[in-house]
Coordinates of all heavy atoms in Angstrom, one line a residue:
L298 N -3.2 6.9 -19.8 CA -3.3 8.0 -20.7 C -3.9 7.7 -22.1 O -4.5 8.5 -22.7 CB -1.9 8.6 -21.0 CG -1.2 9.3 -19.8 CD1 0.2 9.6 -20.1 CD2 -2.0 10.6 -19.5
Q299 N -3.8 6.4 -22.5 CA -4.4 5.9 -23.7 C -5.7 5.2 -23.5 O -6.2 4.5 -24.4 CB -3.4 5.1 -24.4 CG -2.2 5.8 -24.8 CD -1.1 5.0 -25.4 OE1 -1.0 3.9 -25.3 NE2 -0.1 5.7 -26.1
D300 N -6.3 5.5 -22.3 CA -7.7 4.9 -21.9 C -7.7 3.3 -22.1 O -8.8 2.8 -22.5 CB -8.8 5.6 -22.8 CG -8.9 7.0 -22.5 OD1 -8.8 7.4 -21.4 OD2 -9.1 7.9 -23.4
R301 N -6.6 2.7 -21.7 CA -6.7 1.3 -21.7 C -6.8 0.8 -20.2 O -6.6 1.5 -19.3 CB -5.4 0.7 -22.3 CG -5.3 1.0 -23.7 CD -4.1 0.1 -24.4 NE -2.8 0.5 -23.8 CZ -1.9 1.1 -24.4 NH1 -2.1 1.6 -25.7 NH2 -0.7 1.3 -23.9
P302 N -7.3 -0.4 -20.0 CA -7.3 -1.0 -18.6 C -5.9 -0.8 -18.0 O -4.9 -1.2 -18.7 CB -7.7 -2.4 -18.8 CG -8.4 -2.4 -20.1 CD -7.8 -1.4 -21.0
N303 N -5.9 -0.5 -16.8 CA -4.5 -0.1 -16.1 C -4.6 -0.3 -14.7 O -5.6 -0.4 -14.0 CB -4.1 1.3 -16.5 CG -5.0 2.3 -16.0 OD1 -4.8 2.7 -14.8 ND2 -6.1 2.8 -16.6
Q304 N -3.3 -0.4 -14.2 CA -3.2 -0.4 -12.7 C -2.1 0.7 -12.3 O -1.2 0.6 -11.6 CB -2.6 -1.7 -12.2 CG -3.6 -2.9 -12.4 CD -3.0 -4.2 -12.0 OE1 -2.0 -4.3 -11.3 NE2 -3.7 -5.3 -12.4
A305 N -2.4 1.9 -12.9 CA -1.5 3.1 -12.7 C -1.6 3.6 -11.3 O -2.7 3.5 -10.6 CB -1.9 4.2 -13.7
V306 N -0.5 4.1 -10.8 CA -0.5 4.8 -9.5 C -1.3 6.2 -9.8 O -1.1 6.9 -10.6 CB 0.9 5.1 -9.0 CG1 0.8 5.8 -7.7 CG2 1.6 3.8 -8.9
T307 N -2.3 6.4 -8.9 CA -3.2 7.6 -9.1 C -2.9 8.7 -8.1 O -2.2 8.6 -7.1 CB -4.7 7.1 -8.9 OG1 -4.8 6.8 -7.5 CG2 -5.0 5.9 -9.8
L308 N -3.6 9.8 -8.5 CA -3.6 11.0 -7.5 C -4.0 10.6 -6.2 O -3.5 11.1 -5.1 CB -4.3 12.2 -8.1 CG -4.4 13.4 -7.3 CD1 -3.1 14.0 -6.9 CD2 -5.2 14.4 -8.0
T309 N -5.1 9.8 -6.1 CA -5.6 9.3 -4.9 C -4.6 8.6 -4.0 O -4.4 8.8 -2.8 CB -6.8 8.5 -5.0 OG1 -7.8 9.2 -5.8 CG2 -7.4 8.0 -3.8
D310 N -3.7 7.8 -4.7 CA -2.6 7.1 -3.9 C -1.6 8.1 -3.4 O -1.2 7.9 -2.3 CB -1.9 6.1 -5.0 CG -2.8 5.0 -5.5 OD1 -3.6 4.5 -4.7 OD2 -2.7 4.7 -6.6
G311 N -1.4 9.1 -4.2 CA -0.4 10.1 -3.8 C -0.9 10.9 -2.6 O -0.1 11.3 -1.7
M312 N -2.1 11.2 -2.7 CA -2.8 12.0 -1.6 C -2.8 11.1 -0.2 O -2.5 11.7 0.8 CB -4.3 12.3 -2.0 CG -4.3 13.2 -3.1 SD -6.1 13.4 -3.8 CE -6.9 14.1 -2.4
A313 N -3.0 9.8 -0.3 CA -3.1 9.1 0.8 C -1.7 9.0 1.5 O -1.4 9.0 2.7 CB -3.5 7.6 0.5
S314 N -0.6 9.0 0.6 CA 0.8 8.9 1.0 C 1.1 10.2 1.8 O 1.7 10.2 2.9 CB 1.7 8.8 -0.1 OG 3.0 8.9 0.3
I315 N 0.7 11.4 1.4 CA 1.0 12.7 2.0 C 0.1 12.8 3.3 O 0.6 13.3 4.2 CB 0.8 13.8 1.1 CG1 1.7 13.7 -0.1 CG2 0.9 15.2 1.8 CD1 3.2 13.5 0.2
E316 N -1.1 12.3 3.2 CA -1.9 12.3 4.5 C -1.2 11.4 5.5 O -1.2 11.9 6.8 CB -3.3 11.7 4.1 CG -4.2 11.7 5.4 CD -5.6 11.3 5.1 OE1 -5.7 10.1 4.5 OE2 -6.6 11.9 5.4
L317 N -0.6 10.3 5.2 CA 0.0 9.5 6.2 C 1.2 10.1 6.7 O 1.6 10.1 8.0 CB 0.4 8.1 5.5 CG 0.9 7.1 6.5 CD1 0.0 6.8 7.7 CD2 1.3 5.8 5.7
V318 N 2.0 10.8 5.9 CA 3.3 11.5 6.4 C 2.8 12.6 7.3 O 3.5 12.7 8.4 CB 4.0 12.2 5.2 CG1 5.1 13.0 5.7 CG2 4.6 11.0 4.4

Side-chain angles (χ1 to χ4, degrees):
L298 289 172
Q299 296 172 345
D300 295 322
R301 296 193 295 255
N303 66 85
Q304 297 180 16
V306 183
T307 66
L308 175 58
T309 299
D310 297 323
M312 292 169 66
S314 174
I315 299 308
E316 181 180 50
L317 184 56
V318 171

